[in-house]
Amino acid sequence: MGKVAEGKRMKMLCLHGFRTSGSFLQKQISKWDQSIFSHFDMVFPDGLFPAGGKSDIEGIFPPPYFEWFQFNKEFTEYTNLDECITYLCDYITTKGPFDGLLGFSQGATLSALLLGYQAQGKVLKEHPPMKLFVSISGSKFREPKICDVAYKEPIKAKSVHFIGAKDWLKLPSEELATAFENPLIIRHPQGHTVPRLDEQAIKKMKDWTSEILQSSDVSDKGFKVQNGEANVMEQAQQEVLENGKIVHESIDLKMENKEAADTEKTKLDKSDKNMKTEKDLVEPENGKVELVAPGMESVLCFNQKLM
């Protein structure tokens, strides 16, 4: 057991999927055990552009919906990507510093790009290096000019990758994980969704975030942390390399709960229609959520002990 030092708190920027919203991702993440991110301030902004077409969550979750950039069917050509990157870099600089990124689908793909660009000195040169990344159904960009820079070398930020057995982005998600040093991979039996977590996955995530908190010196940022204890991963798991190849740890997530909502190109479970209520939008269990204007920015702050 290791105790998280008083004064340590981290800040994470959370980017939603295509034609959804920050509030929707906030709702999805609220399904997870609140102790996982109890020492994190989670920020959920909306995409830069209003949705340019039908959203897959219409009738399931209320509008407005947003997108970060546009792309062709093959995902090889992108519109407004440079504008999006500039916007997010300005956002990170003015509202940060941020310690890490979390993203779903388009948001995860974009987050990994920012991490790769920062590692190569292309963006966020004056911002501290990002320490962690949570990818849910993410993928790589396919444009060679982007790939040659963003994925030139293994990205050193600590990363965890959620990969669904029925996700149409399963293989691209696996490919994205190879762009990171020693990625933690958590597999689940569902599709393109933020999955609910079983006890094994909850423990693994708590250990993962706790190890990052233990090893990071963030006390000088002035964040205040509540009393809490957490398990620390063995130091040998931090960056394991064998014969020059990246070694990753992988666990399978066995879930009996089938209520999780698929958000892009798969149907959302009917039981998730209770997301429509205004109370559900801003009040996940054991968490405090504030909607901050302008920009419909949603900030999720958890204050409780790690189990």
Side-chain angles (χ1 to χ4, degrees), residues 38-214:
S38 63
H39 291 77
F40 289 78
D41 292 326
M42 316 283 283
V43 181
F44 296 81
D46 288 326
L48 179 58
F49 302 99
K54 182 178 175 60
S55 170
D56 286 340
I57 63 171
E58 288 182 16
I60 303 298
F61 195 87
Y65 312 120
F66 303 88
E67 55 198 47
W68 295 105
F69 59 91
Q70 300 78 41
F71 49 89
N72 64 354
K73 184 178 180 180
E74 294 76 23
F75 201 64
T76 55
E77 297 178 3
Y78 317 103
T79 304
N80 294 317
L81 179 58
D82 289 341
E83 290 84 347
C84 177
I85 292 172
T86 298
Y87 169 79
L88 282 173
C89 287
D90 289 342
Y91 189 98
I92 290 169
T93 301
T94 58
K95 297 184 180 294
F98 287 89
D99 298 283
L101 300 170
L102 178 151
F104 174 73
S105 195
Q106 188 183 57
T109 301
L110 185 57
S111 295
L113 177 67
L114 290 173
L115 291 171
Y117 274 0
Q118 185 188 36
Q120 296 302 319
K122 185 177 176 66
V123 300
L124 297 172
K125 297 178 183 180
E126 304 301 323
H127 187 280
M130 296 286 185
K131 301 178 181 71
L132 69 156
F133 173 46
V134 179
S135 174
I136 310 163
S137 298
S139 64
K140 286 183 177 181
F141 282 87
R142 297 178 183 175
E143 166 59 44
K145 291 182 180 179
I146 293 176
C147 297
D148 290 346
V149 177
Y151 321 120
K152 179 180 180 180
E153 298 173 347
I155 301 170
K156 294 182 179 181
K158 301 292 186 181
S159 67
V160 58
H161 303 257
F162 288 87
I163 301 176
K166 299 178 182 178
D167 191 349
W168 56 281
L169 284 180
K170 176 185 176 182
L171 294 180
S173 294
E174 291 173 342
E175 183 183 8
L176 178 62
T178 66
F180 289 80
E181 282 191 1
N182 192 28
L184 170 62
I185 296 177
I186 299 180
R187 299 182 182 274
H188 62 89
Q190 298 185 358
H192 200 65
T193 187
V194 176
R196 295 182 184 272
L197 307 184
D198 63 12
E199 291 184 3
Q200 181 187 16
I202 291 172
K203 182 181 185 303
K204 184 64 64 174
M205 285 295 295
K206 287 168 65 175
D207 287 349
W208 184 79
T209 55
S210 298
E211 186 274 335
I212 292 169
L213 284 161
Q214 288 278 331

